[in-house]
């Protein structure tokens, strides 16, 4: 029997832990034999000391072994793809990518998580849809994949339960943004979930866990190595998160924007990233096509309405309503206007994300309840020219006081200058 305090001490002092001892710590935590406070201390030791490649793979493997696994390819007789993001502000990409890819004839199955700090969680967004079920049994998951071609579910008690526990613990112990912990968390879900080809969206910038392109590249390489060790194809997109993605930040607001994008009317930067991800996923699929053809087919699915049809079938299959008018709306909408004229030289993603959390769109503690209606819609982004009195953003709030406070936080996220900033594409680099 391991002694958690001894492992914490050894990791704190910079030792590399044997795979079997690290695995036993994780599995013991999943069984309830290791308390939260000891696992939190271990995560903090890892935060400062890091994990070796061997330890990272051992952690990932242990989290997978803490529950069941599924082979979607064998269950469906098809090559199944998956897409995941490291988390960002306004990042609702999976909501649009999934139905577009499925409409192109490629099954996409995904296990997702909830919000971590200032980043929104895919499950939180989906749960703003009345009736939507994020918890499906494995049989239901497979049946829906076979029938609709797409399913996004939460981590059940049967699939990577150790990661589900750690995911919530890291959120409230300031140990989220550590490369090995991020890589293990993401890849444990991907590998246990059974997809054979995976596109990972690694966010870079002040609203991301990875602040620099070098850190993002290292995270991408770590996840690719884990995937290769498990026999999976993995491609990483390094994408900009110095400003929010798209316009909407907040759960129901982001669902509306995702649907707009599926219909072909989304914000330009968000639409570009969605189509880039779709092209990569379709090229990795069993269709036998390249990226250029993948993008053409994705654009066609949006244009002919088949992507929206798949969106509606997907939502209804998981118990949700496909009527967007049923999405919750905030009782107060406050328009924030530009105090001076000029170019938006900066729109801080993390400041917008934190403002959304303070409105109630995210969690500050593990047990916080999400307000699905509130959030922010940014109307002016980096590089845009604004005049005095022009709308910069809308603050969707529960009360007038919260709206005014949120507007002050949003205004502080903006910098307006006389000179237009240099252009920065949403897709910065591809690592494969």
């Amino acid at each position: 029997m391991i002694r958690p305090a001894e492992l914490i001490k050894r990791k704190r002092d910079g030792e590399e832990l044997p795979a079997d001892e690290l695995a036993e710590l994780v599995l013991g935590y999943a069984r309830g034999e290791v308390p939260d406070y000891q696992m939190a201390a271990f995560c903090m030791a890892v935060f400062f000391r890091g994990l070796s490649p061997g330890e990272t793979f051992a952690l990932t493997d242990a989290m997978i072994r803490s529950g069941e696994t599924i082979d979607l390819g064998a269950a469906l007789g098809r090559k199944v793809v998956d897409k995941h993001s490291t988390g960002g502000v306004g990042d609702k990409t999976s909501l649009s990518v999934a139905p577009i890819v499925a409409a192109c004839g490629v099954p996409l199955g995904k296990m997702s998580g909830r919000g971590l700090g200032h980043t929104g969680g895919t499950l939180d967004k989906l749960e703003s849809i009345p009736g939507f079920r994020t918890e499906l049994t494995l049989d239901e998951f497979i049946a829906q994949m076979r029938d609709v071609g797409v399913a996004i579910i939460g981590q059940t008690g049967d699939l990577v339960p150790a990661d589900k526990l750690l995911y919530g613990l890291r959120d409230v112990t300031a140990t989220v943004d550590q490369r090995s912990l991020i890589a293990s968390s993401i890849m444990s879900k991907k590998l246990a979930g059974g997809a054979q080809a995976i596109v990972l969206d690694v966010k870079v910038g002040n609203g991301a866990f990875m602040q620099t392109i070098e850190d993002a590249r290292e995270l991408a390489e770590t996840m690719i190595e884990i995937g290769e060790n498990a026999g999976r194809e993995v491609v990483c997109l390094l994408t900009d998160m110095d400003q929010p993605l798209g316009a909407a930040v907040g759960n129901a607001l982001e669902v509306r924007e995702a649907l707009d994008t599926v219909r072909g009317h989304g914000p330009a930067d968000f639409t570009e990233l969605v189509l880039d991800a779709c092209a990569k996923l379709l090229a990795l699929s069993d269709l036998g096509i390249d990226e250029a053809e993948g993008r053409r087919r994705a654009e066609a699915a949006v244009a002919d309405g088949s992507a929206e049809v798949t969106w509606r079938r997907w939502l209804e299959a998981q118990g949700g309503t496909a009527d967007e008018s049923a999405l919750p709306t905030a009782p107060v909408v406050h328009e924030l206007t530009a105090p001076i004229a000029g170019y938006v030289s900066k729109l801080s993603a993390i400041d917008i994300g934190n403002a959304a959390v303070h409105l109630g769109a995210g969690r500050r503690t593990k047990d916080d309840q999400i307000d699905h209606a509130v959030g922010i819609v940014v109307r002016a982004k980096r590089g845009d020219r604004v005049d005095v009195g022009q709308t910069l953003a809308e603050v969707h709030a529960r009360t007038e006081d919260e709206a005014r406070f949120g507007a002050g936080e949003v205004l502080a996220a903006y910098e307006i200058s006389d000179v237009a900033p240099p252009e920065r594409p949403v897709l910065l680099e591809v690592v494969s």
Side-chain angles (χ1 to χ4, degrees):
M1 179 66 183
I2 62 159
R3 295 182 58 203
E6 178 64 24
L7 291 187
I8 294 166
K9 178 178 181 297
R10 286 160 56 193
K11 177 45 62 181
R12 180 201 69 190
D13 293 342
E15 288 187 32
E16 180 169 352
L17 303 178
D20 59 338
E21 294 184 20
L22 181 52
E24 187 53 36
L25 176 69
V26 173
L27 295 171
Y29 179 58
R31 293 191 296 264
E33 298 164 2
V34 177
D36 268 357
Y37 62 83
Q38 285 188 311
M39 204 64 192
F42 177 76
C43 287
M44 188 60 73
V46 170
F47 184 88
F48 285 111
R49 290 294 192 171
L51 294 176
S52 69
E55 288 175 312
T56 303
F57 187 76
L59 173 61
T60 308
D61 182 62
M63 290 197 292
I64 294 170
R65 289 195 287 120
S66 70
E68 296 181 4
T69 60
I70 181 171
D71 185 344
L72 286 176
L76 299 178
R78 289 287 307 279
K79 187 176 185 181
V80 178
V81 301
D82 190 3
K83 177 262 162 201
H84 192 86
S85 168
T86 57
V89 180
D91 182 13
K92 72 290 291 180
T93 314
S94 294
L95 303 188
S96 297
V97 167
I100 295 172
V101 167
C104 292
V106 173
L108 187 150
K110 173 176 168 61
M111 283 199 300
S112 234
R114 303 190 184 278
L116 286 172
H118 66 276
T119 65
T122 298
L123 296 186
D124 299 318
K125 303 179 207 304
L126 289 171
E127 286 175 345
S128 69
I129 302 167
F132 193 96
R133 295 172 57 215
T134 58
E135 305 299 332
L136 302 182
T137 66
L138 291 182
D139 286 343
E140 289 173 325
F141 182 51
I142 293 169
Q144 183 174 315
M145 288 288 299
R146 186 177 291 117
D147 181 44
V148 184
V150 57
I152 298 181
I153 64 171
Q155 295 148 261
T156 69
D158 298 327
L159 288 161
V160 286
D163 176 65
K164 187 173 184 177
L165 292 169
L166 276 173
Y167 198 85
L169 186 66
R170 288 166 51 219
D171 187 21
V172 294
T173 57
T175 54
V176 168
D177 48 343
Q178 201 284 328
R179 186 177 74 235
S180 292
L181 296 179
I182 294 171
S184 294
S185 176
I186 292 171
M187 294 307 294
S188 66
K189 290 189 286 286
K190 301 303 99 181
L191 300 179
Q196 288 81 42
I198 306 160
V199 169
L200 299 172
D201 180 0
V202 182
K203 299 298 184 188
V204 185
N206 87 333
F209 300 132
M210 300 295 108
Q211 300 284 301
T212 68
I213 194 79
E214 292 79 16
D215 287 343
R217 196 178 294 121
E218 288 182 8
L219 175 61
E221 290 167 351
T222 299
M223 293 190 292
I224 288 171
E225 183 178 9
I226 292 171
E228 287 176 346
N229 286 339
R232 309 295 169 88
E233 295 177 86
V234 182
V235 174
C236 290
L237 311 180
L238 310 189
T239 65
D240 177 41
M241 191 38 67
D242 268 342
Q243 67 173 347
L245 180 62
V249 180
N251 300 283
L253 295 170
E254 293 187 44
V255 171
R256 288 189 182 90
E257 185 166 281
L259 175 55
D260 284 345
T261 305
V262 167
R263 288 171 169 161
H265 306 300
D269 63 334
F270 180 56
T271 298
E272 183 64 24
L273 179 55
V274 166
L275 293 174
D276 280 339
C278 288
K280 288 281 190 302
L281 286 163
L282 294 174
L284 288 172
S285 76
D286 56 11
L287 294 181
I289 61 176
D290 62 13
E291 283 185 40
E293 176 63 12
R295 186 175 180 108
R296 189 197 67 76
R297 294 192 188 189
E299 290 171 343
V302 170
D304 67 17
S306 58
E308 184 179 354
V309 170
T310 304
W311 165 283
R312 294 181 178 279
R313 291 187 64 218
W314 164 39
L315 266 54
E316 290 168 354
Q318 288 189 232
T321 175
D323 179 6
E324 60 264 35
S325 68
L327 290 166
T329 57
V332 178
V333 179
H334 177 90
E335 283 200 3
L336 172 68
T337 58
I340 59 173
Y343 293 94
V344 176
S345 56
K346 182 180 179 182
L347 175 56
S348 169
I350 192 168
D351 289 342
I352 294 293
N354 285 332
V357 170
H358 299 156
L359 288 166
R363 293 181 182 82
R364 283 175 281 190
T365 70
K366 187 165 62 170
D367 299 321
D368 276 356
Q369 294 298 307
I370 293 284
D371 186 337
H372 291 105
V374 301
I376 299 155
V377 180
V378 294
R379 297 300 185 190
K381 297 189 68 177
R382 187 179 58 223
D384 289 345
R385 171 79 188 180
V386 296
D387 296 319
V388 175
Q390 184 176 332
T391 299
L392 292 178
E394 297 170 3
V395 178
H396 294 241
R398 190 57 55 184
T399 68
E400 293 283 357
D401 286 345
E402 289 174 341
R404 282 191 293 270
F405 182 79
E409 290 192 302
V410 173
L411 182 59
Y414 276 92
E415 289 183 9
I416 300 174
S417 69
D418 294 332
V419 180
E423 289 188 14
R424 178 178 168 95
V426 67
L427 178 59
L428 304 174
E429 190 176 312
V430 177
V431 183
S432 59

